[in-house]
């Protein structure tokens, strides 16, 4: 592959800029990985990165002042994402993970083209995993309105395997239900039953959890869909892909440097539930988040 | 009153700056009223303003790129509100209505002190109306987490009538349910029953709908609370108060000027549901909303 998988003709692949572009810069393998999301959902990606590449340092940014991204327009999401990338680059990151399906749908191509470090989203990894998992060629995708309307999952899945049929359903209430902590609740059960009925009627055998909040509803979604349906969590696949890219590009952290402040968390608003949520899903102790003024970047 | 009800010692009252401050400026009675909200909820206030002061022109701003405000911090809400006021002033507004309980809770005092035109929120009018309505001296207040945590309604109500007991309950799922159009739905019924049970057990006889989205759930909330409980919609009282202030300050629009573009709507993101929602609740036809970059103000 050799840094050549960036392809103008095929904008759906993982974005690693061409080597000649990147060699103008010196990327430090000991630098942290930048990860961002609209708020807390991206922490499910951080959790996977911590598991799969435990020697890596990370700088996380959650745009809690402007969340949720799900129903906002493409232009707005690109503008917000550019500000965030400018902020993350002030922290000297060696790669950027867009840990948000909506932002990956709208902004990945732009950000990858504009930056000299690898920028990856969660879509391609999730799509590839779903293609590998399906046996009957019928894949369901659930996500925010933004992700579903962008048609990115059907496009990517069909670019990988043209014969596959993709059925999408936006589940806009899932994010607020997760943010309110109603992970195991009769209201969540009812909304899940309603949203997923359509996909069950399409006999999908694989379902992509196309929003980083949704893995937290995995048990509810799994129960409604039935155990014969494979649930794909793009966070897992994204971590694997990033590990492979870093290895290939010789950018894996050797783990021998200063690990003070190994994981740093920044938010645009000190919403009380960010810290609680992060502490509940991440294996770190006493995580602290620092507020920054993202609009100044 | 004569413009003297602005009172540093009593920051809960309506904010009309002192006359000597304002007389440095010439306020045109034919200028529009500026109204803002985090998104669509404030349109319930616009609807009341259209009914009660039909000769007034209005400029509305909905911060759809950064909604919802309900769970965001005081600092962030003040920063956002200042940007919005700067934008509205470029449209030459003669008065500003903060048509959002969360923003009124956090930003009214600051905005009123910083501006030479009248700035009013929705809290005082709603509180006064509730005080007038209660017979047993037990008032319930429902709102976002931000509004409830600010304790603004209890403070204002008790400053008007110290003996009254106020019971609050945050209802964070109500905003997404309204935004998703689930106004008459079993899930909304279930959430309402859960949120309101506590207040029923306190025997409140008056309930303040302390979020501009909530009047759209009036029938559900009324059914759960029972017909003996008076529901107070601060939008109605706010429109009445604004009419009185404009009359007293000789700022009512005589209605004889150019009424082209009488109502203008601006948003920070062209979310598809803004126009649909506005067209469904306002009596204007074919309302159009224009997108602006609020972060530049």
């Amino acid at each position: 592959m050799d840094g050549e998988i960036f392809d103008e003709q095929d904008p759906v692949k993982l974005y690693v800029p061409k080597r000649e572009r990147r060699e103008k810069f010196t990327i430090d393998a000991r630098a942290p990985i930048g990860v961002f999301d609209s708020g807390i959902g991206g922490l499910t990606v951080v959790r996977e990165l911590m598991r799969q590449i435990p020697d890596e340092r990370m700088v996380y940014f959650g745009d809690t002042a402007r969340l949720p991204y799900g129903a906002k327009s493409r232009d707005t999401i690109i503008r917000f994402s550019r500000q965030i990338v400018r902020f993350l680059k002030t922290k000297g990151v060696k790669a950027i993970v867009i840990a948000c399906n909506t932002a990956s749908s709208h902004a990945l191509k732009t950000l990858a083209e504009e930056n000299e470090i690898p920028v990856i989203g969660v879509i391609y990894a999730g799509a590839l995993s779903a293609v590998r998992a399906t046996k009957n060629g019928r894949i369901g995708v659930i996500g925010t309105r933004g992700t579903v309307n962008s048609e990115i999952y059907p496009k990517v899945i069909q670019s990988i395997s043209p014969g596959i049929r993709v059925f999408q359903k936006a589940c806009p209430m899932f994010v607020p239900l997760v943010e309110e902590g109603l992970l195991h609740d009769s209201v969540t059960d009812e909304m899940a039953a309603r949203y997923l009925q359509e996909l069950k009627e399409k006999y999908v055998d694989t379902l992509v959890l196309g929003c980083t909040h949704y893995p937290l509803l995995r048990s509810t979604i799994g129960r409604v869909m039935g155990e014969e349906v494979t649930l794909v969590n793009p966070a897992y696949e994204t971590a694997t892909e990033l590990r492979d890219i870093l290895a290939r590009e010789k950018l894996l952290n050797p783990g021998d440097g200063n690990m003070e402040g190994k994981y740093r968390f920044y938010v645009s608003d000190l919403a009380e539930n960010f810290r609680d949520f992060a502490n509940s899903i991440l294996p770190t102790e006493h995580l602290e988040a620092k507020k920054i003024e993202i609009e100044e970047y």
Side-chain angles (χ1 to χ4, degrees), chain A:
Chain A
M1 305 283 277
D2 205 14
E4 290 294 329
I5 60 172
F6 179 88
D7 181 354
E8 288 283 357
Q9 302 308 308
D10 188 357
V12 297
K13 289 188 184 167
L14 283 173
Y15 284 98
V16 178
K18 294 191 184 194
R19 183 168 291 277
E20 57 267 34
R21 266 175 84 195
R22 210 177 55 242
E23 279 189 342
K24 293 176 198 158
F25 302 85
T26 308
I27 300 181
D28 179 1
R30 290 180 180 81
I33 297 161
V35 183
F36 76 90
D37 177 47
S38 59
I40 60 179
L43 295 171
T44 63
V45 179
V46 169
R47 182 171 60 177
E48 282 302 325
L49 292 168
M50 286 177 175
R51 280 179 191 156
Q52 295 192 35
I53 35 179
D55 285 338
E56 296 297 332
R57 297 164 61 207
M58 269 186 272
V59 180
Y60 183 86
F61 176 77
D63 199 359
T64 47
R66 304 185 292 195
L67 68 81
Y69 281 6
K72 285 159 194 169
S73 71
R74 180 180 179 84
D75 284 355
T76 293
I77 299 300
I78 290 175
R79 189 160 51 80
F80 288 177
S81 300
R82 279 180 169 146
Q83 288 173 333
I84 295 167
V85 167
R86 282 193 287 268
F87 164 71
L88 290 173
K89 288 172 84 173
T90 68
K91 303 293 172 191
V93 297
K94 66 180 174 186
I96 286 173
V97 178
I98 310 177
C100 169
N101 284 267
T102 310
S104 296
S105 304
H106 294 317
L108 173 59
K109 186 171 193 303
T110 304
L111 295 180
E113 286 171 357
E114 288 174 354
N115 290 282
E116 71 288 352
I117 55 174
V119 179
I120 74 166
V122 288
I123 310 281
Y124 183 76
L128 184 61
S129 175
V131 169
R132 287 175 181 156
T134 186
K135 292 190 175 65
N136 71 359
R138 302 172 77 85
I139 294 174
V141 174
I142 55 176
T144 63
R145 275 222 184 81
T147 300
V148 165
N149 290 346
S150 77
E151 296 271 338
I152 186 90
Y153 272 107
K155 282 180 204 159
V156 176
I157 289 170
Q158 284 156 358
S159 78
I160 298 169
S161 181
I164 288 180
R165 294 194 63 185
V166 182
F167 304 93
Q168 297 194 102
K169 180 70 182 175
C171 306
M173 290 300 295
F174 278 177
V175 168
L177 287 165
V178 169
E179 303 251 346
E180 287 309 313
L182 301 174
L183 305 182
H184 307 283
D185 190 284
S186 62
V187 164
T188 307
D189 292 347
E190 164 65 21
M191 291 308 305
R194 244 187 249 188
Y195 284 140
L196 301 174
Q197 184 56 34
E198 250 178 77
L199 298 177
K200 290 182 73 173
E201 288 169 4
K202 303 293 186 189
Y203 300 103
V204 300
D205 73 348
T206 302
L207 180 67
V208 179
L209 307 181
C211 168
T212 51
H213 282 74
Y214 297 1
L216 299 162
L217 299 177
R218 189 178 190 109
S219 67
T220 302
I221 294 167
R223 195 169 55 246
V224 172
M225 292 306 291
E227 60 185 20
E228 66 283 9
V229 173
T230 304
L231 302 186
V232 171
N233 175 6
Y236 179 84
E237 306 297 332
T238 300
T240 307
E241 290 285 352
L242 180 63
R243 187 191 59 205
D244 293 349
I245 289 171
L246 293 178
R248 196 167 59 222
E249 302 288 322
K250 301 192 174 35
L251 285 175
L252 276 173
N253 195 321
D256 57 359
N258 180 6
M259 284 294 176
E260 202 181 305
K262 185 176 182 187
Y263 302 127
R264 282 175 293 164
F265 297 85
Y266 296 87
V267 290
S268 48
D269 184 80
L270 275 183
E272 58 192 57
N273 64 348
F274 180 85
R275 192 165 24 207
D276 296 346
F277 190 85
N279 280 315
S280 75
I281 75 161
L282 295 180
T284 55
E285 282 178 21
H286 309 304
L287 176 151
E288 290 296 324
K290 193 174 166 192
K291 185 187 157 194
I292 57 132
E293 303 285 343
I294 193 64
E295 293 170 14
E296 291 173 6
Y297 287 87

